[in-house]
Amino acid sequence: TLADPVQVRSWTIAGLPTDTVSVENAIIVSKARRWPLMVDPQGQANRWIKAMERAASLEVVKTSYKDFLRTLENGIRFGRPVLLEDIGEGTLDAALEPLLLRSTFKQGGSEVIKLGDNIIPYHQDFK
């Protein structure tokens, strides 16, 4: 398989359902080059992500929050996980596209990313 059995076990302890589809989806989420968009009507993936990243000080934001871009910037800059919730159809800000595509580039010897009008340092631990 593509996943370590110990890793899969830690996912199930954190609340991932044990069915094959859920495990396969978790593998995709963990190995993907791009950030995943999860259609999650039952909230299982949401609960799983929150449990997995609780110790890393997960920030949960919605696009309706007035400071959601600042929260994203801080997460990117300091390597903290951010979960963007309740994204409606057609409501994703175009400023987020470089982030969703992980379009980082080198500037002055360090890795950076453009978020809106700002170019910010990209921390490798950000997720």
mmCIF file with all atom_site columns, all heavy atoms in Angstrom, residues 87-113:
data_model
loop_
_atom_site.group_PDB
_atom_site.id
_atom_site.type_symbol
_atom_site.label_atom_id
_atom_site.label_alt_id
_atom_site.label_comp_id
_atom_site.label_asym_id
_atom_site.label_entity_id
_atom_site.label_seq_id
_atom_site.pdbx_PDB_ins_code
_atom_site.Cartn_x
_atom_site.Cartn_y
_atom_site.Cartn_z
_atom_site.occupancy
_atom_site.B_iso_or_equiv
_atom_site.pdbx_formal_charge
_atom_site.auth_seq_id
_atom_site.auth_comp_id
_atom_site.auth_asym_id
_atom_site.auth_atom_id
_atom_site.pdbx_PDB_model_num
ATOM 1   N N   . ILE A 1 87  ? -16.683 26.552 2.325   1.00 0.00 ? 87  ILE A N   1
ATOM 2   C CA  . ILE A 1 87  ? -16.460 27.269 1.073   1.00 0.00 ? 87  ILE A CA  1
ATOM 3   C C   . ILE A 1 87  ? -17.626 26.951 0.159   1.00 0.00 ? 87  ILE A C   1
ATOM 4   O O   . ILE A 1 87  ? -17.839 25.806 -0.210  1.00 0.00 ? 87  ILE A O   1
ATOM 5   C CB  . ILE A 1 87  ? -15.134 26.834 0.414   1.00 0.00 ? 87  ILE A CB  1
ATOM 6   C CG1 . ILE A 1 87  ? -13.975 27.183 1.333   1.00 0.00 ? 87  ILE A CG1 1
ATOM 7   C CG2 . ILE A 1 87  ? -14.980 27.484 -0.945  1.00 0.00 ? 87  ILE A CG2 1
ATOM 8   C CD1 . ILE A 1 87  ? -12.660 26.662 0.861   1.00 0.00 ? 87  ILE A CD1 1
ATOM 9   N N   . GLY A 1 88  ? -18.376 27.972 -0.187  1.00 0.00 ? 88  GLY A N   1
ATOM 10  C CA  . GLY A 1 88  ? -19.514 27.785 -1.081  1.00 0.00 ? 88  GLY A CA  1
ATOM 11  C C   . GLY A 1 88  ? -19.076 27.744 -2.527  1.00 0.00 ? 88  GLY A C   1
ATOM 12  O O   . GLY A 1 88  ? -17.949 28.091 -2.877  1.00 0.00 ? 88  GLY A O   1
ATOM 13  N N   . GLU A 1 89  ? -19.986 27.332 -3.376  1.00 0.00 ? 89  GLU A N   1
ATOM 14  C CA  . GLU A 1 89  ? -19.698 27.244 -4.799  1.00 0.00 ? 89  GLU A CA  1
ATOM 15  C C   . GLU A 1 89  ? -19.489 28.646 -5.370  1.00 0.00 ? 89  GLU A C   1
ATOM 16  O O   . GLU A 1 89  ? -20.328 29.522 -5.218  1.00 0.00 ? 89  GLU A O   1
ATOM 17  C CB  . GLU A 1 89  ? -20.870 26.561 -5.509  1.00 0.00 ? 89  GLU A CB  1
ATOM 18  C CG  . GLU A 1 89  ? -20.531 26.013 -6.856  1.00 0.00 ? 89  GLU A CG  1
ATOM 19  C CD  . GLU A 1 89  ? -21.664 25.202 -7.433  1.00 0.00 ? 89  GLU A CD  1
ATOM 20  O OE1 . GLU A 1 89  ? -22.280 24.432 -6.687  1.00 0.00 ? 89  GLU A OE1 1
ATOM 21  O OE2 . GLU A 1 89  ? -21.931 25.362 -8.621  1.00 0.00 ? 89  GLU A OE2 1
ATOM 22  N N   . GLY A 1 90  ? -18.349 28.870 -5.992  1.00 0.00 ? 90  GLY A N   1
ATOM 23  C CA  . GLY A 1 90  ? -18.073 30.157 -6.615  1.00 0.00 ? 90  GLY A CA  1
ATOM 24  C C   . GLY A 1 90  ? -17.674 31.260 -5.645  1.00 0.00 ? 90  GLY A C   1
ATOM 25  O O   . GLY A 1 90  ? -17.617 32.416 -6.038  1.00 0.00 ? 90  GLY A O   1
ATOM 26  N N   . THR A 1 91  ? -17.383 30.924 -4.368  1.00 0.00 ? 91  THR A N   1
ATOM 27  C CA  . THR A 1 91  ? -17.057 31.967 -3.397  1.00 0.00 ? 91  THR A CA  1
ATOM 28  C C   . THR A 1 91  ? -15.585 32.006 -3.036  1.00 0.00 ? 91  THR A C   1
ATOM 29  O O   . THR A 1 91  ? -15.194 32.761 -2.164  1.00 0.00 ? 91  THR A O   1
ATOM 30  C CB  . THR A 1 91  ? -17.859 31.775 -2.090  1.00 0.00 ? 91  THR A CB  1
ATOM 31  O OG1 . THR A 1 91  ? -17.522 30.507 -1.524  1.00 0.00 ? 91  THR A OG1 1
ATOM 32  C CG2 . THR A 1 91  ? -19.342 31.861 -2.335  1.00 0.00 ? 91  THR A CG2 1
ATOM 33  N N   . LEU A 1 92  ? -14.765 31.238 -3.717  1.00 0.00 ? 92  LEU A N   1
ATOM 34  C CA  . LEU A 1 92  ? -13.344 31.196 -3.402  1.00 0.00 ? 92  LEU A CA  1
ATOM 35  C C   . LEU A 1 92  ? -12.650 32.408 -3.996  1.00 0.00 ? 92  LEU A C   1
ATOM 36  O O   . LEU A 1 92  ? -12.725 32.661 -5.192  1.00 0.00 ? 92  LEU A O   1
ATOM 37  C CB  . LEU A 1 92  ? -12.739 29.906 -3.937  1.00 0.00 ? 92  LEU A CB  1
ATOM 38  C CG  . LEU A 1 92  ? -11.476 29.407 -3.275  1.00 0.00 ? 92  LEU A CG  1
ATOM 39  C CD1 . LEU A 1 92  ? -11.658 29.286 -1.771  1.00 0.00 ? 92  LEU A CD1 1
ATOM 40  C CD2 . LEU A 1 92  ? -11.080 28.072 -3.839  1.00 0.00 ? 92  LEU A CD2 1
ATOM 41  N N   . ASP A 1 93  ? -11.973 33.164 -3.166  1.00 0.00 ? 93  ASP A N   1
ATOM 42  C CA  . ASP A 1 93  ? -11.275 34.374 -3.569  1.00 0.00 ? 93  ASP A CA  1
ATOM 43  C C   . ASP A 1 93  ? -10.130 34.025 -4.519  1.00 0.00 ? 93  ASP A C   1
ATOM 44  O O   . ASP A 1 93  ? -9.347  33.117 -4.260  1.00 0.00 ? 93  ASP A O   1
ATOM 45  C CB  . ASP A 1 93  ? -10.732 35.065 -2.316  1.00 0.00 ? 93  ASP A CB  1
ATOM 46  C CG  . ASP A 1 93  ? -10.224 36.459 -2.571  1.00 0.00 ? 93  ASP A CG  1
ATOM 47  O OD1 . ASP A 1 93  ? -9.964  36.792 -3.744  1.00 0.00 ? 93  ASP A OD1 1
ATOM 48  O OD2 . ASP A 1 93  ? -10.093 37.211 -1.594  1.00 0.00 ? 93  ASP A OD2 1
ATOM 49  N N   . ALA A 1 94  ? -10.014 34.758 -5.616  1.00 0.00 ? 94  ALA A N   1
ATOM 50  C CA  . ALA A 1 94  ? -8.951  34.513 -6.595  1.00 0.00 ? 94  ALA A CA  1
ATOM 51  C C   . ALA A 1 94  ? -7.570  34.718 -5.985  1.00 0.00 ? 94  ALA A C   1
ATOM 52  O O   . ALA A 1 94  ? -6.589  34.147 -6.458  1.00 0.00 ? 94  ALA A O   1
ATOM 53  C CB  . ALA A 1 94  ? -9.136  35.428 -7.803  1.00 0.00 ? 94  ALA A CB  1
ATOM 54  N N   . ALA A 1 95  ? -7.483  35.507 -4.933  1.00 0.00 ? 95  ALA A N   1
ATOM 55  C CA  . ALA A 1 95  ? -6.200  35.742 -4.271  1.00 0.00 ? 95  ALA A CA  1
ATOM 56  C C   . ALA A 1 95  ? -5.635  34.463 -3.655  1.00 0.00 ? 95  ALA A C   1
ATOM 57  O O   . ALA A 1 95  ? -4.440  34.375 -3.388  1.00 0.00 ? 95  ALA A O   1
ATOM 58  C CB  . ALA A 1 95  ? -6.358  36.808 -3.195  1.00 0.00 ? 95  ALA A CB  1
ATOM 59  N N   . LEU A 1 96  ? -6.485  33.460 -3.444  1.00 0.00 ? 96  LEU A N   1
ATOM 60  C CA  . LEU A 1 96  ? -6.051  32.204 -2.828  1.00 0.00 ? 96  LEU A CA  1
ATOM 61  C C   . LEU A 1 96  ? -5.456  31.214 -3.830  1.00 0.00 ? 96  LEU A C   1
ATOM 62  O O   . LEU A 1 96  ? -4.868  30.207 -3.431  1.00 0.00 ? 96  LEU A O   1
ATOM 63  C CB  . LEU A 1 96  ? -7.222  31.532 -2.113  1.00 0.00 ? 96  LEU A CB  1
ATOM 64  C CG  . LEU A 1 96  ? -7.837  32.288 -0.950  1.00 0.00 ? 96  LEU A CG  1
ATOM 65  C CD1 . LEU A 1 96  ? -9.041  31.542 -0.413  1.00 0.00 ? 96  LEU A CD1 1
ATOM 66  C CD2 . LEU A 1 96  ? -6.814  32.498 0.135   1.00 0.00 ? 96  LEU A CD2 1
ATOM 67  N N   . GLU A 1 97  ? -5.594  31.495 -5.120  1.00 0.00 ? 97  GLU A N   1
ATOM 68  C CA  . GLU A 1 97  ? -5.150  30.529 -6.129  1.00 0.00 ? 97  GLU A CA  1
ATOM 69  C C   . GLU A 1 97  ? -3.680  30.129 -6.002  1.00 0.00 ? 97  GLU A C   1
ATOM 70  O O   . GLU A 1 97  ? -3.370  28.941 -6.034  1.00 0.00 ? 97  GLU A O   1
ATOM 71  C CB  . GLU A 1 97  ? -5.441  31.046 -7.536  1.00 0.00 ? 97  GLU A CB  1
ATOM 72  C CG  . GLU A 1 97  ? -5.174  29.987 -8.584  1.00 0.00 ? 97  GLU A CG  1
ATOM 73  C CD  . GLU A 1 97  ? -5.685  30.386 -9.959  1.00 0.00 ? 97  GLU A CD  1
ATOM 74  O OE1 . GLU A 1 97  ? -6.595  31.218 -10.052 1.00 0.00 ? 97  GLU A OE1 1
ATOM 75  O OE2 . GLU A 1 97  ? -5.153  29.838 -10.928 1.00 0.00 ? 97  GLU A OE2 1
ATOM 76  N N   . PRO A 1 98  ? -2.739  31.075 -5.827  1.00 0.00 ? 98  PRO A N   1
ATOM 77  C CA  . PRO A 1 98  ? -1.340  30.630 -5.664  1.00 0.00 ? 98  PRO A CA  1
ATOM 78  C C   . PRO A 1 98  ? -1.143  29.718 -4.453  1.00 0.00 ? 98  PRO A C   1
ATOM 79  O O   . PRO A 1 98  ? -0.340  28.792 -4.501  1.00 0.00 ? 98  PRO A O   1
ATOM 80  C CB  . PRO A 1 98  ? -0.572  31.942 -5.480  1.00 0.00 ? 98  PRO A CB  1
ATOM 81  C CG  . PRO A 1 98  ? -1.447  32.995 -6.060  1.00 0.00 ? 98  PRO A CG  1
ATOM 82  C CD  . PRO A 1 98  ? -2.854  32.525 -5.845  1.00 0.00 ? 98  PRO A CD  1
ATOM 83  N N   . LEU A 1 99  ? -1.898  29.968 -3.395  1.00 0.00 ? 99  LEU A N   1
ATOM 84  C CA  . LEU A 1 99  ? -1.798  29.124 -2.206  1.00 0.00 ? 99  LEU A CA  1
ATOM 85  C C   . LEU A 1 99  ? -2.351  27.731 -2.484  1.00 0.00 ? 99  LEU A C   1
ATOM 86  O O   . LEU A 1 99  ? -1.736  26.730 -2.141  1.00 0.00 ? 99  LEU A O   1
ATOM 87  C CB  . LEU A 1 99  ? -2.539  29.772 -1.032  1.00 0.00 ? 99  LEU A CB  1
ATOM 88  C CG  . LEU A 1 99  ? -2.566  28.964 0.253   1.00 0.00 ? 99  LEU A CG  1
ATOM 89  C CD1 . LEU A 1 99  ? -1.158  28.793 0.798   1.00 0.00 ? 99  LEU A CD1 1
ATOM 90  C CD2 . LEU A 1 99  ? -3.448  29.626 1.270   1.00 0.00 ? 99  LEU A CD2 1
ATOM 91  N N   . LEU A 1 100 ? -3.517  27.660 -3.114  1.00 0.00 ? 100 LEU A N   1
ATOM 92  C CA  . LEU A 1 100 ? -4.131  26.363 -3.400  1.00 0.00 ? 100 LEU A CA  1
ATOM 93  C C   . LEU A 1 100 ? -3.282  25.531 -4.352  1.00 0.00 ? 100 LEU A C   1
ATOM 94  O O   . LEU A 1 100 ? -3.278  24.306 -4.271  1.00 0.00 ? 100 LEU A O   1
ATOM 95  C CB  . LEU A 1 100 ? -5.533  26.564 -3.977  1.00 0.00 ? 100 LEU A CB  1
ATOM 96  C CG  . LEU A 1 100 ? -6.531  27.230 -3.038  1.00 0.00 ? 100 LEU A CG  1
ATOM 97  C CD1 . LEU A 1 100 ? -7.839  27.483 -3.754  1.00 0.00 ? 100 LEU A CD1 1
ATOM 98  C CD2 . LEU A 1 100 ? -6.758  26.388 -1.794  1.00 0.00 ? 100 LEU A CD2 1
ATOM 99  N N   . LEU A 1 101 ? -2.543  26.197 -5.228  1.00 0.00 ? 101 LEU A N   1
ATOM 100 C CA  . LEU A 1 101 ? -1.670  25.490 -6.165  1.00 0.00 ? 101 LEU A CA  1
ATOM 101 C C   . LEU A 1 101 ? -0.261  25.285 -5.624  1.00 0.00 ? 101 LEU A C   1
ATOM 102 O O   . LEU A 1 101 ? 0.585   24.715 -6.304  1.00 0.00 ? 101 LEU A O   1
ATOM 103 C CB  . LEU A 1 101 ? -1.606  26.263 -7.486  1.00 0.00 ? 101 LEU A CB  1
ATOM 104 C CG  . LEU A 1 101 ? -2.917  26.386 -8.250  1.00 0.00 ? 101 LEU A CG  1
ATOM 105 C CD1 . LEU A 1 101 ? -2.747  27.293 -9.456  1.00 0.00 ? 101 LEU A CD1 1
ATOM 106 C CD2 . LEU A 1 101 ? -3.436  25.026 -8.659  1.00 0.00 ? 101 LEU A CD2 1
ATOM 107 N N   . ARG A 1 102 ? -0.013  25.792 -4.420  1.00 0.00 ? 102 ARG A N   1
ATOM 108 C CA  . ARG A 1 102 ? 1.317   25.746 -3.799  1.00 0.00 ? 102 ARG A CA  1
ATOM 109 C C   . ARG A 1 102 ? 2.374   26.361 -4.717  1.00 0.00 ? 102 ARG A C   1
ATOM 110 O O   . ARG A 1 102 ? 3.447   25.814 -4.926  1.00 0.00 ? 102 ARG A O   1
ATOM 111 C CB  . ARG A 1 102 ? 1.711   24.322 -3.426  1.00 0.00 ? 102 ARG A CB  1
ATOM 112 C CG  . ARG A 1 102 ? 0.881   23.744 -2.316  1.00 0.00 ? 102 ARG A CG  1
ATOM 113 C CD  . ARG A 1 102 ? 1.467   22.425 -1.847  1.00 0.00 ? 102 ARG A CD  1
ATOM 114 N NE  . ARG A 1 102 ? 0.575   21.784 -0.888  1.00 0.00 ? 102 ARG A NE  1
ATOM 115 C CZ  . ARG A 1 102 ? 0.853   20.683 -0.248  1.00 0.00 ? 102 ARG A CZ  1
ATOM 116 N NH1 . ARG A 1 102 ? 1.984   20.068 -0.443  1.00 0.00 ? 102 ARG A NH1 1
ATOM 117 N NH2 . ARG A 1 102 ? 0.009   20.164 0.604   1.00 0.00 ? 102 ARG A NH2 1
ATOM 118 N N   . SER A 1 103 ? 2.036   27.507 -5.270  1.00 0.00 ? 103 SER A N   1
ATOM 119 C CA  . SER A 1 103 ? 2.924   28.199 -6.207  1.00 0.00 ? 103 SER A CA  1
ATOM 120 C C   . SER A 1 103 ? 3.934   29.053 -5.452  1.00 0.00 ? 103 SER A C   1
ATOM 121 O O   . SER A 1 103 ? 3.815   30.271 -5.394  1.00 0.00 ? 103 SER A O   1
ATOM 122 C CB  . SER A 1 103 ? 2.114   29.072 -7.163  1.00 0.00 ? 103 SER A CB  1
ATOM 123 O OG  . SER A 1 103 ? 1.235   28.298 -7.921  1.00 0.00 ? 103 SER A OG  1
ATOM 124 N N   . THR A 1 104 ? 4.922   28.409 -4.884  1.00 0.00 ? 104 THR A N   1
ATOM 125 C CA  . THR A 1 104 ? 5.969   29.135 -4.169  1.00 0.00 ? 104 THR A CA  1
ATOM 126 C C   . THR A 1 104 ? 7.093   29.470 -5.136  1.00 0.00 ? 104 THR A C   1
ATOM 127 O O   . THR A 1 104 ? 7.221   28.851 -6.200  1.00 0.00 ? 104 THR A O   1
ATOM 128 C CB  . THR A 1 104 ? 6.529   28.311 -3.003  1.00 0.00 ? 104 THR A CB  1
ATOM 129 O OG1 . THR A 1 104 ? 7.095   27.112 -3.516  1.00 0.00 ? 104 THR A OG1 1
ATOM 130 C CG2 . THR A 1 104 ? 5.440   27.988 -1.989  1.00 0.00 ? 104 THR A CG2 1
ATOM 131 N N   . PHE A 1 105 ? 7.885   30.458 -4.771  1.00 0.00 ? 105 PHE A N   1
ATOM 132 C CA  . PHE A 1 105 ? 9.047   30.823 -5.572  1.00 0.00 ? 105 PHE A CA  1
ATOM 133 C C   . PHE A 1 105 ? 10.119  31.383 -4.654  1.00 0.00 ? 105 PHE A C   1
ATOM 134 O O   . PHE A 1 105 ? 9.858   31.707 -3.498  1.00 0.00 ? 105 PHE A O   1
ATOM 135 C CB  . PHE A 1 105 ? 8.682   31.816 -6.684  1.00 0.00 ? 105 PHE A CB  1
ATOM 136 C CG  . PHE A 1 105 ? 8.043   33.085 -6.199  1.00 0.00 ? 105 PHE A CG  1
ATOM 137 C CD1 . PHE A 1 105 ? 8.798   34.228 -5.990  1.00 0.00 ? 105 PHE A CD1 1
ATOM 138 C CD2 . PHE A 1 105 ? 6.669   33.143 -5.969  1.00 0.00 ? 105 PHE A CD2 1
ATOM 139 C CE1 . PHE A 1 105 ? 8.206   35.405 -5.558  1.00 0.00 ? 105 PHE A CE1 1
ATOM 140 C CE2 . PHE A 1 105 ? 6.062   34.316 -5.539  1.00 0.00 ? 105 PHE A CE2 1
ATOM 141 C CZ  . PHE A 1 105 ? 6.841   35.455 -5.328  1.00 0.00 ? 105 PHE A CZ  1
ATOM 142 N N   . LYS A 1 106 ? 11.343  31.449 -5.189  1.00 0.00 ? 106 LYS A N   1
ATOM 143 C CA  . LYS A 1 106 ? 12.489  31.947 -4.411  1.00 0.00 ? 106 LYS A CA  1
ATOM 144 C C   . LYS A 1 106 ? 12.611  33.449 -4.593  1.00 0.00 ? 106 LYS A C   1
ATOM 145 O O   . LYS A 1 106 ? 12.516  33.960 -5.703  1.00 0.00 ? 106 LYS A O   1
ATOM 146 C CB  . LYS A 1 106 ? 13.785  31.286 -4.863  1.00 0.00 ? 106 LYS A CB  1
ATOM 147 C CG  . LYS A 1 106 ? 13.853  29.810 -4.598  1.00 0.00 ? 106 LYS A CG  1
ATOM 148 C CD  . LYS A 1 106 ? 14.172  29.538 -3.161  1.00 0.00 ? 106 LYS A CD  1
ATOM 149 C CE  . LYS A 1 106 ? 14.371  28.038 -2.954  1.00 0.00 ? 106 LYS A CE  1
ATOM 150 N NZ  . LYS A 1 106 ? 14.637  27.699 -1.603  1.00 0.00 ? 106 LYS A NZ  1
ATOM 151 N N   . GLN A 1 107 ? 12.812  34.134 -3.477  1.00 0.00 ? 107 GLN A N   1
ATOM 152 C CA  . GLN A 1 107 ? 13.055  35.575 -3.512  1.00 0.00 ? 107 GLN A CA  1
ATOM 153 C C   . GLN A 1 107 ? 14.059  35.899 -2.404  1.00 0.00 ? 107 GLN A C   1
ATOM 154 O O   . GLN A 1 107 ? 13.782  35.620 -1.239  1.00 0.00 ? 107 GLN A O   1
ATOM 155 C CB  . GLN A 1 107 ? 11.756  36.352 -3.308  1.00 0.00 ? 107 GLN A CB  1
ATOM 156 C CG  . GLN A 1 107 ? 11.926  37.860 -3.454  1.00 0.00 ? 107 GLN A CG  1
ATOM 157 C CD  . GLN A 1 107 ? 10.613  38.585 -3.302  1.00 0.00 ? 107 GLN A CD  1
ATOM 158 O OE1 . GLN A 1 107 ? 9.927   38.403 -2.298  1.00 0.00 ? 107 GLN A OE1 1
ATOM 159 N NE2 . GLN A 1 107 ? 10.267  39.379 -4.290  1.00 0.00 ? 107 GLN A NE2 1
ATOM 160 N N   . GLY A 1 108 ? 15.172  36.449 -2.787  1.00 0.00 ? 108 GLY A N   1
ATOM 161 C CA  . GLY A 1 108 ? 16.199  36.778 -1.798  1.00 0.00 ? 108 GLY A CA  1
ATOM 162 C C   . GLY A 1 108 ? 16.719  35.562 -1.056  1.00 0.00 ? 108 GLY A C   1
ATOM 163 O O   . GLY A 1 108 ? 17.062  35.645 0.118   1.00 0.00 ? 108 GLY A O   1
ATOM 164 N N   . GLY A 1 109 ? 16.724  34.417 -1.714  1.00 0.00 ? 109 GLY A N   1
ATOM 165 C CA  . GLY A 1 109 ? 17.265  33.208 -1.101  1.00 0.00 ? 109 GLY A CA  1
ATOM 166 C C   . GLY A 1 109 ? 16.296  32.441 -0.228  1.00 0.00 ? 109 GLY A C   1
ATOM 167 O O   . GLY A 1 109 ? 16.636  31.401 0.300   1.00 0.00 ? 109 GLY A O   1
ATOM 168 N N   . SER A 1 110 ? 15.076  32.953 -0.058  1.00 0.00 ? 110 SER A N   1
ATOM 169 C CA  . SER A 1 110 ? 14.103  32.218 0.756   1.00 0.00 ? 110 SER A CA  1
ATOM 170 C C   . SER A 1 110 ? 12.850  31.926 -0.067  1.00 0.00 ? 110 SER A C   1
ATOM 171 O O   . SER A 1 110 ? 12.557  32.605 -1.055  1.00 0.00 ? 110 SER A O   1
ATOM 172 C CB  . SER A 1 110 ? 13.744  33.007 2.012   1.00 0.00 ? 110 SER A CB  1
ATOM 173 O OG  . SER A 1 110 ? 13.161  34.235 1.675   1.00 0.00 ? 110 SER A OG  1
ATOM 174 N N   . GLU A 1 111 ? 12.131  30.915 0.350   1.00 0.00 ? 111 GLU A N   1
ATOM 175 C CA  . GLU A 1 111 ? 10.915  30.518 -0.351  1.00 0.00 ? 111 GLU A CA  1
ATOM 176 C C   . GLU A 1 111 ? 9.760   31.404 0.100   1.00 0.00 ? 111 GLU A C   1
ATOM 177 O O   . GLU A 1 111 ? 9.539   31.585 1.297   1.00 0.00 ? 111 GLU A O   1
ATOM 178 C CB  . GLU A 1 111 ? 10.609  29.046 -0.065  1.00 0.00 ? 111 GLU A CB  1
ATOM 179 C CG  . GLU A 1 111 ? 9.555   28.467 -0.964  1.00 0.00 ? 111 GLU A CG  1
ATOM 180 C CD  . GLU A 1 111 ? 9.438   26.956 -0.830  1.00 0.00 ? 111 GLU A CD  1
ATOM 181 O OE1 . GLU A 1 111 ? 9.948   26.384 0.157   1.00 0.00 ? 111 GLU A OE1 1
ATOM 182 O OE2 . GLU A 1 111 ? 8.821   26.355 -1.707  1.00 0.00 ? 111 GLU A OE2 1
ATOM 183 N N   . VAL A 1 112 ? 9.023   31.957 -0.860  1.00 0.00 ? 112 VAL A N   1
ATOM 184 C CA  . VAL A 1 112 ? 7.904   32.853 -0.568  1.00 0.00 ? 112 VAL A CA  1
ATOM 185 C C   . VAL A 1 112 ? 6.701   32.454 -1.413  1.00 0.00 ? 112 VAL A C   1
ATOM 186 O O   . VAL A 1 112 ? 6.814   31.656 -2.341  1.00 0.00 ? 112 VAL A O   1
ATOM 187 C CB  . VAL A 1 112 ? 8.272   34.333 -0.851  1.00 0.00 ? 112 VAL A CB  1
ATOM 188 C CG1 . VAL A 1 112 ? 9.376   34.810 0.079   1.00 0.00 ? 112 VAL A CG1 1
ATOM 189 C CG2 . VAL A 1 112 ? 8.667   34.545 -2.298  1.00 0.00 ? 112 VAL A CG2 1
ATOM 190 N N   . ILE A 1 113 ? 5.560   33.034 -1.064  1.00 0.00 ? 113 ILE A N   1
ATOM 191 C CA  . ILE A 1 113 ? 4.326   32.813 -1.820  1.00 0.00 ? 113 ILE A CA  1
ATOM 192 C C   . ILE A 1 113 ? 3.548   34.120 -1.868  1.00 0.00 ? 113 ILE A C   1
ATOM 193 O O   . ILE A 1 113 ? 3.631   34.932 -0.948  1.00 0.00 ? 113 ILE A O   1
ATOM 194 C CB  . ILE A 1 113 ? 3.495   31.665 -1.199  1.00 0.00 ? 113 ILE A CB  1
ATOM 195 C CG1 . ILE A 1 113 ? 2.400   31.209 -2.152  1.00 0.00 ? 113 ILE A CG1 1
ATOM 196 C CG2 . ILE A 1 113 ? 2.925   32.075 0.154   1.00 0.00 ? 113 ILE A CG2 1
ATOM 197 C CD1 . ILE A 1 113 ? 1.794   29.858 -1.798  1.00 0.00 ? 113 ILE A CD1 1
#
